[in-house]
Amino acid sequence: MKRIILLLSVVFSCTFLFGQKSISKPNIIFIITDQQRSDALGCMGNKTVISPNIDKIAEEGVTFVNGYSTVPSCTPARAGLLTGMSPWHHGMLGYGKLARKYKYEMPQMLREAGYYTFGIGKMHWFPQKALHGFNGTLTDESGRVEQDGYVSDYRDWFKLNAPGEDPDKTGIGWNDNKSGVYQLDEKLHPTYWTGKTAVELIENYDQEKPLFLKVSFARPHSPYDPPQRFLDMYEDRKIPEPVIGEWSHYLDGVKGDESAAFGDFGTEYAIESRRHYYANITFIDEMVGQIVQVLKDKGMYENSIICFTSDHGDMLGDHHHWRKTYAYEGSSNIPFLFKWPENTNAKLRRGSVLENPTELRDFLPTFLDAAGAEIPDELDGESLLKLVKNPEVSWRSYIDLEHATCYSPENYWCALTDGNWKYIWFLRTGKEQLFNLKTDPEEIVNLSESNKPELEKWRERMVDHLSERGEGFVKNGKLVRREETLLYSPNFPEDNRTENERVNDWHNIYKGID
């Protein structure tokens, strides 16, 4: 009897002291931003950016400096995240609509593993209130309406808290590269809503199940619209200028409108866009700090995985390119931070920096591993916990990148990188680029003509990578130039549209909407 009383008192004490009921599986707090390039954080070496709370996640976990988004635009990146698969296997090779249902889906698999699953912020799924296994979602889609009658939860909340006001009062489109100050109270900004909603859910969480919470901020994706308070923090900070590669001077002097994907708008214009972009990241950082603090207040922090990443980057004028869909680092290299629970049998020192090539597909197998659930052999991702438990474990040598035609006919490419070298194959033109990322991280000099041995090595790797796609991509051991864009692979589920219908749908979606 005394033993029973003692056991009950221990359970009661743990619940009282630590808030969350005792659970064996870790909580998983997955924080993702939209369109954040990897170098837009203090912990990634950019001392201009004010990001102490996100940097703290790096200090208490691991930074993967070669983290990539395989298909660097919103929806295909999120398909890889959702399914744990490579582009050819989940079926999206460029920007289009996600399938309604996949064989493997992160929220559903974690729910089946015993988690309470909830998503807050930008999902960018179709239909827009699809759950894919979440117990619930509260969404913010930046005003995007892709189905009749859809109104995001953020927009409804905005009407409740600012009747008659215009959430788009700042007047900058969500694909514009110009910048401006948010014209309403900062507590009406979508960044505030997303962060505070996540805080509120954690405050109210009292389940015996572990929590899987996806917190998806719609910024720093344009509009570059920080509240004045955050912009003031950057008044005297030196903003890095855009870099222009030797190969990109053909765009010198090219002008376009404020949503142009390519354009030379001048150095000062790009600097101001970056200043506002960084200020939006600092706003996000403040909300991340509040999320972490409430986890600590609830006694959930020590038993939580916390991840911080983005779906893709933003060129911000580098090489006269804007937005994303490119193979270059500003577009494809993303923040990739992972903090593990205290009870993990880790050999990796907290605060470590690893160069292993990682990708969004790696998060699903990581979470399944942490949950003690089976990782299907069909998943292309790898568990990051393998590296935490043994940094010397075997890992992939390089990662694949690609994007179907977007913005211009020539922008149709596949690439490979190990974080040291990057090889890019342009499928329509047959052009190649080769960059030494160790000596030339800004991709200024194309070495495809001057380093033939390295070029041939990576070209052969590309042949091997694309071979499973058939003679439309590789024939007789040679890369094949393509006249037609393939947007969806044969593995895309539940899609019986013709290819022309798919491409037309993609163009209609992408025009000014992403």
Side-chain angles (χ1 to χ4, degrees):
M1 185 64 181
K2 289 182 179 179
R3 289 181 180 179
I4 294 174
I5 294 173
L6 178 61
L7 180 60
L8 289 173
S9 67
V10 169
V11 171
F12 174 79
S13 298
C14 288
T15 302
F16 177 77
L17 290 173
F18 300 114
Q20 188 180 26
K21 296 178 175 68
S22 179
I23 55 173
S24 58
K25 297 177 181 179
N27 304 298
I28 300 171
I29 312 300
F30 183 73
I31 304 171
I32 181 170
T33 58
D34 196 338
Q35 202 159 301
Q36 182 173 353
R37 49 192 285 160
S38 69
D39 63 5
L41 286 174
C43 62
M44 290 297 292
N46 188 340
K47 300 308 178 185
T48 298
V49 180
I50 304 167
S51 54
N53 296 296
I54 299 169
D55 295 347
K56 190 67 174 178
I57 296 173
E59 289 177 22
E60 299 188 356
V62 55
T63 302
F64 292 98
V65 291
N66 293 321
Y68 284 92
S69 174
T70 284
V71 191
S73 66
C74 292
T75 53
R78 292 168 191 270
L81 175 65
L82 178 66
T83 64
M85 290 183 167
S86 67
W88 186 253
H89 294 152
H90 65 63
M92 294 190 71
L93 310 181
Y95 185 91
K97 290 180 180 177
L98 272 75
R100 294 171 180 266
K101 179 68 177 176
Y102 293 88
K103 182 176 180 180
Y104 301 112
E105 298 179 322
M106 181 185 291
Q108 182 63 42
M109 297 177 82
L110 289 174
R111 189 172 179 176
E112 291 170 357
Y115 280 73
Y116 181 81
T117 60
F118 206 89
I120 296 170
K122 181 176 179 180
M123 301 295 122
H124 212 157
W125 292 340
F126 183 82
Q128 289 180 278
K129 284 295 285 185
L131 292 176
H132 293 290
F134 274 126
N135 289 98
T137 61
L138 293 170
T139 61
D140 167 33
E141 297 294 331
S142 301
R144 182 182 297 102
V145 177
E146 295 179 358
Q147 63 190 97
D148 291 344
Y150 172 76
V151 180
S152 74
D153 298 289
Y154 162 70
R155 297 259 163 165
D156 273 340
W157 172 90
F158 184 95
K159 294 172 189 175
L160 180 67
N161 286 273
E165 284 283 6
D166 179 5
D168 302 314
K169 185 177 181 180
T170 305
I172 304 174
W174 60 63
N175 271 330
D176 290 356
N177 47 49
K178 71 175 184 178
S179 56
V181 176
Y182 189 62
Q183 295 299 300
L184 299 166
D185 188 296
E186 70 176 56
K187 292 185 178 180
L188 295 173
H189 196 282
T191 293
Y192 183 88
W193 175 84
T194 302
K196 277 298 184 183
T197 303
V199 167
E200 186 175 354
L201 184 137
I202 296 168
E203 286 176 337
N204 294 331
Y205 195 73
D206 193 30
Q207 297 292 308
E208 294 184 3
K209 296 179 178 182
L211 172 64
F212 169 60
L213 175 60
K214 178 183 177 182
V215 186
S216 183
F217 291 95
R219 302 292 190 275
H221 188 298
S222 48
Y224 308 140
D225 64 344
Q228 187 66 52
R229 176 167 69 91
F230 294 96
L231 189 62
D232 288 345
M233 298 180 188
Y234 287 85
E235 183 176 0
D236 298 319
R237 300 182 83 85
K238 183 173 175 57
I239 308 298
E241 296 182 4
V243 296
I244 309 299
E246 293 178 358
W247 52 271
S248 61
H249 285 297
Y250 72 98
L251 289 169
D252 289 353
V254 171
K255 302 298 181 183
D257 64 24
E258 58 198 23
S259 65
F262 306 93
D264 179 0
F265 295 89
T267 300
E268 289 306 314
Y269 181 97
I271 284 175
E272 281 310 301
S273 293
R274 289 168 179 235
R275 189 186 310 277
H276 289 68
Y277 178 87
Y278 290 166
N280 261 337
I281 291 169
T282 300
F283 193 3
I284 292 169
D285 181 81
E286 184 172 289
M287 303 316 299
V288 169
Q290 293 187 27
I291 292 168
V292 170
Q293 186 58 53
V294 73
L295 287 169
K296 291 179 177 179
D297 293 344
K298 290 281 290 187
M300 298 169 66
Y301 181 78
E302 300 298 332
N303 190 37
S304 289
I305 287 172
I306 301 178
C307 302
F308 184 88
T309 192
S310 191
D311 57 347
H312 52 77
D314 190 327
M315 292 298 289
L316 290 173
D318 281 347
H319 313 299
H320 301 312
H321 288 51
W322 297 86
R323 296 156 68 177
K324 60 276 186 181
T325 77
Y326 314 108
Y328 310 116
E329 291 293 278
S331 167
S332 62
N333 190 207
I334 55 174
F336 217 95
L337 311 180
F338 179 77
K339 174 260 176 192
W340 59 88
E342 282 300 315
N343 63 354
T344 303
N345 184 23
K347 291 185 179 178
L348 187 66
R349 180 178 55 84
R350 293 188 186 272
S352 292
V353 175
L354 293 183
E355 296 186 357
N356 305 71
T358 52
E359 205 272 332
L360 292 170
R361 71 189 73 166
D362 294 327
F363 284 113
L364 176 54
T366 300
F367 299 159
L368 294 175
D369 190 2
E374 181 181 355
I375 302 174
D377 292 337
E378 292 172 84
L379 299 194
D380 298 303
E382 298 284 344
S383 172
L384 303 174
L385 283 170
K386 290 166 50 178
L387 291 168
V388 170
K389 294 177 180 179
N390 179 13
E392 303 303 318
V393 72
S394 176
W395 195 256
R396 66 173 70 94
S397 299
Y398 51 87
I399 195 70
D400 55 291
L401 314 171
E402 67 182 283
H403 206 285
T405 307
C406 190
Y407 302 146
S408 74
E410 294 77 19
N411 188 37
Y412 181 19
W413 54 269
C414 290
L416 301 173
T417 184
D418 60 0
N420 297 312
W421 290 91
K422 183 185 291 179
Y423 169 76
I424 309 171
W425 160 249
F426 291 90
L427 286 87
R428 193 176 301 277
T429 65
K431 291 182 179 179
E432 297 170 296
Q433 289 182 326
L434 180 70
F435 297 105
N436 185 332
L437 298 179
K438 282 296 183 184
T439 62
D440 180 25
E442 295 173 329
E443 298 165 311
I444 302 294
V445 181
N446 176 15
L447 300 174
S448 62
E449 293 294 329
S450 60
N451 193 334
K452 292 298 184 181
E454 197 70 33
L455 180 76
E456 290 172 5
K457 180 176 79 173
W458 284 96
R459 186 190 291 147
E460 286 303 310
R461 287 178 170 178
M462 182 62 76
V463 167
D464 181 64
H465 169 62
L466 294 178
S467 290
E468 72 168 309
R469 305 188 183 190
E471 292 190 350
F473 288 85
V474 174
K475 188 173 183 179
N476 298 325
K478 303 291 184 182
L479 296 172
V480 173
R481 290 173 59 177
R482 294 181 57 85
E483 294 297 325
E484 298 296 327
T485 293
L486 185 66
L487 179 58
Y488 295 95
S489 85
N491 296 312
F492 187 76
E494 296 182 6
D495 189 42
N496 57 7
R497 292 174 293 159
T498 68
E499 184 60 24
N500 283 337
E501 287 172 331
R502 296 174 185 176
V503 173
N504 287 336
D505 179 47
W506 161 58
H507 281 297
N508 289 333
I509 294 170
Y510 211 96
K511 187 178 180 182
I513 290 181
D514 175 36

